[in-house]
Amino acid sequence: MSVREETSEQGPVYGQSPDVHLDQTVVYGPVNRPNDGADSSAVGGGDPPTNPLGAVDGDLAKPPLLKDVEDSNAATGACGLQNLGNTCYMNAGLQCLRSIPSLIRYFVEGTPPAFAPIPEERDRDRLLVCKGHMANRFAVLLQKLWSCRYSSVRPGALKKTLGVRWNHFSDNRQHDCQEFMAVFLDSLHDDLQGDVEGADRDRMEVEPLTNGSNDNDISSNPDTSSSHGNASISTSVVTDSFRGTLKSEVVCNTCNFSSVKEEPFFFLSVPLPHACERQIEVTWVPVCTPVEFRRAVRVLVTVMNYATIGDLKKSLISTAGLSVQSDLVLMAEVKDCAVVRVMMDSLLLKNLNDTDNMVYAFEMASLGQLSPPQSVTEPNHDVNILQAGAPPLAADAPPPADAPPLPADAPPPPADAPPPPADAPPMPAGVMSVVMEWHSCGICLEEMVDTDLLIHRECGAVLCAVCLIASSQHSAQGGDHILCPICTMLVKPSEAFVPLATPSKDVVVRLLQTNIMFRSDNGFARPTVFGHPAILNLPSSGLGESLYTTVGVLVPHPLTEYEWTLNLTDSKGLFCSRCTFQNGCKGCEVANASFSMDLKPGDHLSITFHHLRQETMKEASEVQPHPSLGLKRLYQATLDECLAAFTQREVLFWFCPQCKCDREATKVLFPCTYPKTLIVHLKRFLYHNSGVKVEMPVLFPSTLAAGGKFLQLVGCVCHFGSLNCGHYTAFSLNPVTKEWYYYNDETVTKEAPSDKDAQSVYLLFYSEEQELPSSLPKPNQVVFNDEEEASIVEQLVNYLQPPPQASVPPPQAASQQDNSILGDKCAAGTSDASSSGPHQNGDAFPTENMNMETTAVQPAV
C-alpha cells in the first residue's frame, strides 16, 4: 500500500517496532499518504490513484502483525491500529473517536464498563446477549491506546465482537466508514444508555439510539403560534457527546398550514452543492449560415451527471438559442483539430472524455442546403451527388427509400435493413436512391455493394462470391452440393444463393460518414492540421467536381481567397487512406473534373492549402465565446456552502391535513441545537442507475461557527479510491499535546490536515473546547489480560452458534441393488456422523470468519 517514500519533513513515524523513537524516521509498511505524489498546485492533491488503495488492504511486502507491538518510547496517544484485512474503515473511525475528550474521561479514567453475563440457556437474542460487550472492548482498546505502552494495537477482540452483534461486519469485506460509525455508536449507546457520568453503571435497559416515537410533531395554523418542545431520548455518554436536534418544517403553499417536527441526529449528512451537475464546454460548428457569418461558438452547457449525449444536445440548443432540431446535431470528440470519435445519443456522459479531448457539436445539413439542386436526366453511374430531394445528412436519419427490390424468386432483404418511412414518396425510374446502410459479408466482414453479395434463401446468410467459392472447396459433399457455412444445410449453390440486389437502371448509392479537415502543406514531413473539422455524410459514388462543390462550401471565410485541393486521408488528416504507410503519401489528390469518384469505408477528406501563414491559420481557428462561459464555476466547494445546501428549501407534494388532499408544499430542514461534538458527513457517493463517487474538493475550516458557538476541528476521515474499492485514513488532534497525527492503519506520522486533503475528506469531527482528563493511565498502571478477553469473546461466539443438530438417519427405503452396493458403509457412516458432533452447515456466523478451530463434519454416505 506504500505509494511514496517517507521524508524527514513529514515528521516521525510511529507504530512500526519497539525501536522507533521520537527523533527517528523509519520506513516500514504503509507509511505513505495515498494522495501524495500528485500535482501540489491542484486543490485536493490531484486525482485519486489509478489503482485504488484498499482493494486489498495491507502490503504484501510487510510481515503480518499478529499481536500488539510494545514500545517503551511510545509517544502519548500516538498509537496505530493494525489492519486485520480490509478494516481500514474501522481503524480510521476509531482513531477519530479516541481523541474526543468526553470519551477519554468516560472510558479511560474509569474502569471498563461491565457486560451482561452469558446466560446458561440459549436466548438467541443478540442484543441482549451482547449487552455491554462492545463498550467493554472499546474501553479496553482506548486504555491501550492511551497507555504510552504500545506503538500499534491489534483490535481483534473489538472487530470480532462487532461481527457477532452485526452479522454483515463478521467477514473481511470492505465497508463504508460512516456506516460503521453509525452502527458502532448505536451499539455503544445500547450498552451505556442511562450510564452517564454520576449514574449507576449497572443499569441495563435496552432502547434504540433514535426512536421515531420520540419525534415531536407540531402541526400548526399560520395564525396560531406553536411552542416546539424538545425530543426526548434516552441518555448515554454517546448522546451527551454527539446528539443534536433537527427541525423539519413543511408549509402548504395553498393554505399556509405548517407541520413542524423535531428529531435527534448524530451525523449531519450534507450534500455537495452542484454535485449532480456537470459543466461541459461545447464548440458549436454551424453549416447552413452564410460563409461570411459562419463562426464556431463555444458554449458552456450544464447537464446532470447521469444524463446522455441526447440530453447534452437538447441543453446545447436551449442554452445557445439555436433554431435546429436535435436529430440534425452530431456530437463528437475532437483532438488536434481532427475528430476522434462520434458519439451516439444513448451514450452516458460518464463515458465522455472532455479532459483530454474537446467536445464539438456539428450541424448536419442536407445536400440541397449545401448547394443548388440539380437533376439527373439519364441513368448513369457517374451521377451528380448533389441530387435534389436527398435526405438530411444526419447520422441517425432514416433513409428515404430502400434498396431496389430483389427478384420475384428472391427472399426479402436481411432483418437488419430498416424499412422505408411510411410517408416517403415512391422513387421514380432513373433517379438516384440514397441509403445509409452498408451490408457486409458474413465471413470476411467486408462491406460491399448489394449487387456483389449473395443471400441464402433459407437462413438469410449474406456472403460474397469469393467466400462462397472458398467454402465450396472446403465443404464439398460430392456432386454440386455443399454445406452452407452459416446454417450447415446441404444446398446447391446455384439454386440456394441469389443476389442480394440485381443491377437496374436505378443508381444505388450508400452514404459514408466522412470527416472533413483543414491542413496546410508547407513542404515538411507532416502537414499542419488546423481550424475546426466538420462531418458530412457523403454518397459513395459521384463526380469529383461535385465533391469539390459540396465540400468547398465548408471553407471558412478567411480561407476563401486561397487555392486548395481535396485529398483522401485518414481520420487524422496526416497520411493517405489508400496508400501504405511506407510510401509516405500525404493523401491522394481527388481530381476536380467530371470523372467518377468512389469513396470507401475509412476514407476521409482533407482540404489542403499550401504555404499558409500562421496568422491566417490562427484566424481560421478562432472561436467566438458565448455569454454562458461567464457562468462557469470552480469545481470545488466550502463546508459553509455544503451546510447552506443542506438547509435549502425544496418543493414537494405533501398531503395537507387541512386541505385533506395532496398539495404543493415547501420543506426546510435545519439544525436547531448542535451537539458538543459535531460529525459532518459529506455525501460523496451518489446513486442514479449506477453509483459514482464525487471527487469535488471541499475546503474545511479549522474553526466552525455553529449555533452561536465555535467548534474546533479535532479529526477527519479521508477516503481514496472509487465507489467499489478504496482506502480510509484519518487525521486526529491529540487533546493532550495539541499536535496533529496522521493515521494510516498501524503507521502514525505527525501531520495536520490541509487544503490538499479537500478532495479526499469524507467525515469531519468538530468539538467544543472541553476540559482534558485529569489524569491518564501510566504504562505500569495498565494491566491487560488478552487471553481473558479472547476467552470472553470466544464464549460469546460459541453461545450464539446454532444448537447441535440431530444426525441424518440412513435412508429407509432403498432398493436391493443400492443395499448391495453400499452394504455396511451407510450404517457405519451414520454411526460416525452421530459420534462426531454437530455439522456446521447453515451457521449464522461462519467459523472461518471467527478464526475458530472447528471442523465441519458431514454425514458419510
Side-chain angles (χ1 to χ4, degrees):
M1 195 176 298
S2 178
V3 296
R4 67 169 174 82
E5 291 187 356
E6 184 69 28
T7 61
S8 59
E9 296 178 354
Q10 295 172 329
V13 179
Y14 311 104
Q16 310 305 332
S17 68
D19 298 328
V20 178
H21 299 281
L22 295 180
D23 57 347
Q24 294 178 339
T25 299
V26 178
V27 179
Y28 175 75
V31 177
N32 311 317
R33 293 189 54 192
N35 64 334
D36 283 357
D39 184 7
S40 60
S41 62
V43 178
D47 294 334
T50 54
N51 183 15
L53 300 177
V56 178
D57 277 316
D59 194 339
L60 298 178
K62 66 179 182 181
L65 299 176
L66 301 180
K67 62 179 181 179
D68 302 337
V69 179
E70 297 191 12
D71 185 3
S72 58
N73 298 309
T76 302
C79 182
L81 292 174
Q82 299 173 17
N83 196 310
L84 309 179
N86 286 333
T87 58
C88 57
Y89 66 92
M90 181 183 73
N91 294 346
L94 293 177
Q95 291 291 9
C96 290
L97 292 179
R98 54 86 59 88
S99 296
I100 306 300
S102 59
L103 299 183
I104 296 176
R105 286 196 302 269
Y106 185 84
F107 288 101
V108 177
E109 286 187 317
T111 57
F115 51 87
I118 299 177
E120 296 181 359
E121 298 181 357
R122 291 183 176 272
D123 193 335
R124 306 298 301 164
D125 190 335
R126 296 179 183 274
L127 294 181
L128 292 177
V129 175
C130 297
K131 179 68 178 179
H133 284 268
M134 188 69 69
N136 183 273
R137 303 293 101 76
F138 183 60
V140 172
L141 179 65
L142 285 188
Q143 291 187 12
K144 286 185 177 182
L145 295 178
W146 285 101
S147 65
C148 302
R149 179 177 171 181
Y150 302 95
S151 60
S152 68
V153 173
R154 181 177 176 84
L158 188 143
K159 171 63 170 61
K160 187 177 292 187
T161 305
L162 179 68
V164 169
R165 184 161 184 170
W166 304 100
N167 188 25
H168 58 285
F169 285 102
S170 61
D171 52 18
N172 290 329
R173 292 179 299 174
Q174 299 186 66
H175 293 278
D176 181 66
C177 182
Q178 191 271 338
E179 177 192 8
F180 160 76
M181 292 287 293
V183 170
F184 183 73
L185 292 179
D186 182 71
S187 301
L188 288 183
H189 170 73
D190 286 344
D191 290 352
L192 302 174
Q193 56 183 320
D195 188 15
V196 296
E197 292 179 293
D200 185 8
R201 284 201 170 191
D202 295 331
R203 184 175 179 179
M204 289 294 180
E205 298 179 0
V206 178
E207 296 181 11
L209 184 61
T210 57
N211 192 338
S213 61
N214 290 329
D215 297 344
N216 188 15
D217 188 358
I218 307 105
S219 298
S220 64
N221 197 287
D223 299 332
T224 306
S225 61
S226 61
S227 60
H228 308 302
N230 294 325
S232 59
I233 190 172
S234 56
T235 58
S236 68
V237 67
V238 176
T239 58
D240 185 60
S241 301
F242 302 102
R243 185 189 66 187
T245 306
L246 283 176
K247 180 179 291 186
S248 174
E249 182 178 4
V250 182
V251 179
C252 178
N253 293 345
T254 303
C255 66
N256 291 332
F257 180 85
S258 65
S259 175
V260 179
K261 282 187 177 182
E262 290 185 358
E263 56 185 9
F265 74 91
F266 294 82
F267 296 87
L268 200 58
S269 297
V270 299
L272 277 63
H274 308 290
C276 295
E277 297 179 354
R278 182 175 178 180
Q279 291 187 322
I280 302 174
E281 291 187 5
V282 180
T283 303
W284 166 248
V285 180
V287 172
C288 298
T289 55
V291 63
E292 59 270 15
F293 302 106
R294 190 182 305 160
R295 294 289 186 274
V297 182
R298 186 155 297 162
V299 185
L300 181 67
V301 183
T302 302
V303 289
M304 306 303 290
N305 276 329
Y306 47 81
T308 62
I309 295 296
D311 300 325
L312 181 62
K313 283 185 185 181
K314 298 177 182 178
S315 298
L316 170 66
I317 295 174
S318 175
T319 303
L322 304 177
S323 57
V324 62
Q325 297 179 0
S326 61
D327 57 350
L328 296 180
V329 177
L330 191 62
M331 305 294 298
E333 292 181 3
V334 174
K335 186 175 183 180
D336 298 332
C337 302
V339 176
V340 176
R341 66 163 177 166
V342 176
M343 297 172 290
M344 304 302 294
D345 289 352
S346 59
L347 182 69
L348 294 175
L349 285 185
K350 67 178 182 180
N351 299 317
L352 173 66
N353 182 11
D354 59 340
T355 302
D356 301 326
N357 304 328
M358 301 183 67
V359 181
Y360 270 65
F362 299 100
E363 181 182 9
M364 304 301 291
S366 65
L367 290 175
Q369 289 177 297
L370 293 178
S371 180
Q374 301 180 19
S375 60
V376 177
T377 57
E378 295 182 0
N380 193 308
H381 181 66
D382 298 334
V383 63
N384 194 309
I385 64 174
L386 302 179
Q387 170 62 36
L393 289 180
D396 53 355
D402 201 358
L406 297 175
D409 59 346
D416 58 350
D423 57 349
M427 296 293 292
V431 177
M432 177 182 68
S433 175
V434 182
V435 294
M436 292 290 297
E437 290 75 21
W438 281 75
H439 296 140
S440 58
C441 173
I443 296 180
C444 65
L445 303 180
E446 183 177 354
E447 294 179 337
M448 299 182 181
V449 182
D450 287 352
T451 55
D452 295 337
L453 293 173
L454 301 173
I455 183 171
H456 186 199
R457 292 174 178 269
E458 299 295 333
C459 67
V462 179
L463 303 175
C464 65
V466 176
C467 292
L468 184 59
I469 294 174
S471 300
S472 302
Q473 297 174 352
H474 288 283
S475 62
Q477 299 297 313
D480 54 355
H481 287 75
I482 65 169
L483 294 177
C484 174
I486 304 299
C487 66
T488 67
M489 180 184 296
L490 186 64
V491 296
K492 188 175 181 179
S494 59
E495 298 177 357
F497 288 88
V498 296
L500 182 61
T502 57
S504 66
K505 59 183 178 180
D506 294 334
V507 180
V508 180
V509 178
R510 298 292 191 267
L511 291 182
L512 287 175
Q513 191 175 88
T514 308
N515 300 345
I516 311 297
M517 291 149 288
F518 301 90
R519 64 180 190 173
S520 175
D521 189 356
N522 297 328
F524 300 108
R526 289 188 178 186
T528 302
V529 183
F530 66 94
H532 306 287
I535 298 178
L536 289 180
N537 290 325
L538 297 176
S540 59
S541 299
L543 301 178
E545 60 181 3
S546 299
L547 195 60
Y548 270 80
T549 304
T550 303
V551 178
V553 180
L554 302 177
V555 177
H557 179 65
L559 303 176
T560 54
E561 300 178 357
Y562 295 87
E563 294 184 356
W564 53 272
T565 58
L566 205 58
N567 298 77
L568 293 173
T569 61
D570 57 8
S571 60
K572 295 183 179 180
L574 299 177
F575 301 102
C576 184
S577 59
R578 301 286 182 91
C579 303
T580 59
F581 180 78
Q582 289 77 8
N583 292 341
C585 180
K586 300 178 183 179
C588 293
E589 182 177 343
V590 178
N592 187 4
S594 299
F595 292 102
S596 175
M597 175 62 197
D598 294 333
L599 292 177
K600 298 181 179 180
D603 284 341
H604 300 279
L605 298 175
S606 293
I607 300 177
T608 305
F609 299 87
H610 296 277
H611 304 287
L612 284 180
R613 296 180 301 174
Q614 291 291 337
E615 294 79 6
T616 305
M617 291 188 291
K618 183 178 180 181
E619 184 180 359
S621 304
E622 289 180 352
V623 180
Q624 180 180 351
H626 191 267
S628 60
L629 293 176
L631 303 177
K632 189 172 183 179
R633 300 184 300 264
L634 291 176
Y635 189 67
Q636 69 177 33
T638 63
L639 183 58
D640 291 335
E641 293 174 348
C642 296
L643 296 173
F646 177 78
T647 59
Q648 280 185 347
R649 297 179 180 271
E650 59 176 330
V651 179
L652 47 79
F653 282 95
W654 171 67
F655 181 82
C656 178
Q658 183 165 298
C659 298
K660 305 299 182 181
C661 61
D662 291 337
R663 293 290 192 185
E664 187 181 87
T666 302
K667 179 182 178 181
V668 61
L669 185 67
F670 58 92
C672 54
T673 59
Y674 285 87
K676 295 179 181 178
T677 300
L678 174 65
I679 305 178
V680 181
H681 167 223
L682 301 179
K683 298 169 71 173
R684 289 194 176 273
F685 301 104
L686 304 178
Y687 299 88
H688 185 88
N689 297 330
S690 61
V692 64
K693 180 188 175 184
V694 180
E695 301 283 355
M696 177 185 294
V698 178
L699 304 177
F700 50 92
S702 58
T703 302
L704 179 66
K709 55 185 178 182
F710 293 94
L711 304 178
Q712 300 294 326
L713 181 67
V714 297
C716 61
V717 174
C718 300
H719 179 268
F720 304 92
S722 62
L723 175 70
N724 299 320
C725 59
H727 181 63
Y728 287 95
T729 61
F731 290 93
S732 183
L733 178 64
N734 191 313
V736 177
T737 63
K738 297 297 182 181
E739 293 179 321
W740 280 97
Y741 290 91
Y742 178 69
Y743 297 92
N744 187 359
D745 290 333
E746 61 266 19
T747 304
V748 185
T749 58
K750 276 188 180 180
E751 188 175 355
S754 61
D755 289 347
K756 67 181 181 179
D757 303 295
Q759 190 173 3
S760 58
V761 65
Y762 184 49
L763 297 177
L764 293 166
F765 294 76
Y766 286 92
S767 182
E768 296 180 2
E769 287 289 346
Q770 302 179 29
E771 294 182 2
L772 297 177
S774 57
S775 62
L776 292 173
K778 303 298 181 182
N780 56 359
Q781 297 175 349
V782 180
V783 179
F784 303 109
N785 192 332
D786 295 336
E787 290 76 10
E788 181 180 354
E789 185 180 41
S791 176
I792 295 173
V793 176
E794 197 70 20
Q795 295 176 20
L796 185 65
V797 173
N798 293 334
Y799 175 81
L800 293 175
Q801 291 288 340
Q805 300 182 8
S807 59
V808 179
Q812 299 296 331
S815 63
Q816 183 177 2
Q817 182 180 1
D818 294 339
N819 291 333
S820 63
I821 295 176
L822 297 178
D824 296 335
K825 291 183 180 180
C826 185
T830 305
S831 175
D832 294 342
S834 302
S835 61
S836 300
H839 63 79
Q840 302 297 327
N841 282 347
D843 289 351
F845 296 91
T847 55
E848 61 269 20
N849 292 332
M850 300 300 178
N851 298 325
M852 295 178 58
E853 299 294 336
T854 306
T855 303
V857 182
Q858 299 288 352
V861 177

